[in-house]
């Protein structure tokens, strides 16, 4: 992915190649945490949206959890937003497993739909719902983001929860299972998305360092 970093270690290359192989996605950017991965995914989606004549709105789901930074709480539950106002703009939430609600929320400003395939690592999405999201995003020319920080890397019996549904996102975020307690995360995306990112659009201080990779 065309994003700045200060070094690329052999360990980072090897890990990235493995993630590409098992995910079916094309590019990897290693981060320090789950929140950083989701922040990066939002930035990438907004860059893609702006380059394709859309806005930067991201649609997420009620009762979702995507992190504790300002942008990630804006995409998550209201109870985590209290006392941190003003909350960043450009986010909308709709009920989980409700395809019609997502369709109604999409407008000319929408860049992406973000969903946990298994919400909180506990409540699974319906297969028809995720299939419908994929079709809807394709029809509207917007991106589908899967947050697999809770459920990715073997936690469901397959490498990724998406593999149980047979639905491929444009962007996928990882963290917890990837590090086994060490601070690491990742943003994966397809070539379509990566082509919208230019050198210097995003960066990380410690992501992909040799020790954690």
């Amino acid at each position: 992915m065309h994003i700045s970093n200060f070094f690329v270690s052999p360990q980072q290359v090897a890990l990235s190649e493995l993630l590409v192989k098992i995910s079916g996605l094309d590019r990897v950017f290693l981060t320090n945490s789950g929140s950083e991965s989701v922040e990066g995914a939002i930035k990438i989606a907004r860059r893609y949206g702006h380059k394709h004549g859309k806005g930067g709105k991201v649609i997420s789901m009620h009762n979702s959890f995507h992190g504790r930074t300002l942008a990630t709480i804006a995409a998550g539950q209201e109870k985590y937003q209290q006392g941190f106002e003003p909350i960043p703009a450009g986010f909308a939430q709709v009920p989980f497993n409700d395809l019609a609600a997502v369709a109604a929320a999409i407008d000319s400003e929408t860049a992406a739909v973000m969903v946990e395939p298994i919400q909180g690592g506990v409540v699974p999405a319906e297969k028809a719902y995720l299939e419908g999201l994929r079709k809807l995003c394709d029809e509207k020319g917007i991106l589908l983001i899967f947050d697999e920080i809770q459920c990715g890397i073997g936690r469901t019996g397959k490498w990724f929860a998406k593999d149980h549904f047979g639905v491929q996102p444009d962007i996928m975020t990882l963290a917890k299972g990837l590090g086994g307690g060490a601070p690491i995360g990742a943003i994966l995306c397809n070539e379509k998305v990566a082509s919208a990112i230019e050198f210097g659009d995003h960066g990380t201080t410690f992501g992909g360092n040799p020790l954690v990779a």
Side-chain angles (χ1 to χ4, degrees), residues 22-24 117 127 130 146 148 151-154 156-169 172:
I22 63 177
S23 70
K127 186 174 190 294
L130 294 183
F146 278 2
E148 292 226 16
C151 56
I153 308 296
T156 65
K158 293 182 180 289
W159 275 117
F160 308 103
K162 72 180 182 67
D163 299 333
H164 292 279
F165 302 99
V167 177
Q168 185 76 318
M172 181 168 64

Side-chain angles (χ1 to χ4, degrees), residues 9-180:
S9 67
Q11 294 87 351
Q12 179 178 353
V13 172
L15 176 57
S16 297
E17 288 176 343
L18 175 61
L19 289 174
V20 165
K21 180 180 178 180
I22 63 177
S23 70
L25 292 164
D26 303 308
R27 299 294 185 101
V28 177
F29 182 73
L30 297 175
T31 69
N32 303 289
S33 68
S35 291
E36 186 186 344
S37 296
V38 177
E39 286 266 351
I42 292 168
K43 285 182 66 179
I44 293 166
R46 286 184 166 180
R47 172 66 85 177
Y48 180 91
H50 289 307
K51 284 196 170 185
H52 289 81
K54 300 180 182 298
K57 185 173 84 172
V58 175
I59 298 170
S60 58
M61 310 304 151
H62 292 165
N63 298 317
S64 62
F65 184 82
H66 298 290
R68 296 184 186 276
T69 60
L70 284 173
T72 56
I73 64 172
Q77 300 173 49
E78 288 187 5
K79 66 181 181 181
Y80 294 114
Q81 301 173 8
Q82 296 175 12
F84 297 106
E85 299 85 355
I87 300 301
F91 296 89
Q93 289 199 333
V94 298
F96 184 58
N97 272 327
D98 188 337
L99 186 62
V102 177
I106 294 173
D107 57 23
S108 62
E109 293 298 307
T110 304
V113 174
M114 180 163 64
V115 64
E116 300 163 275
I118 302 177
Q119 195 173 72
V122 177
V123 182
E126 297 170 359
K127 186 174 190 294
Y129 171 69
L130 294 183
E131 291 173 340
L133 288 180
R134 178 70 276 171
K135 182 179 179 181
L136 184 61
C137 288
D138 289 340
E139 290 173 348
K140 299 295 184 179
I142 62 177
L143 302 179
L144 179 60
I145 303 171
F146 278 2
D147 180 347
E148 292 226 16
I149 289 165
Q150 292 277 11
C151 56
I153 308 296
R155 286 183 160 189
T156 65
K158 293 182 180 289
W159 275 117
F160 308 103
K162 72 180 182 67
D163 299 333
H164 292 279
F165 302 99
V167 177
Q168 185 76 318
D170 299 296
I171 303 173
M172 181 168 64
T173 60
L174 302 173
K176 289 179 168 58
L178 189 61

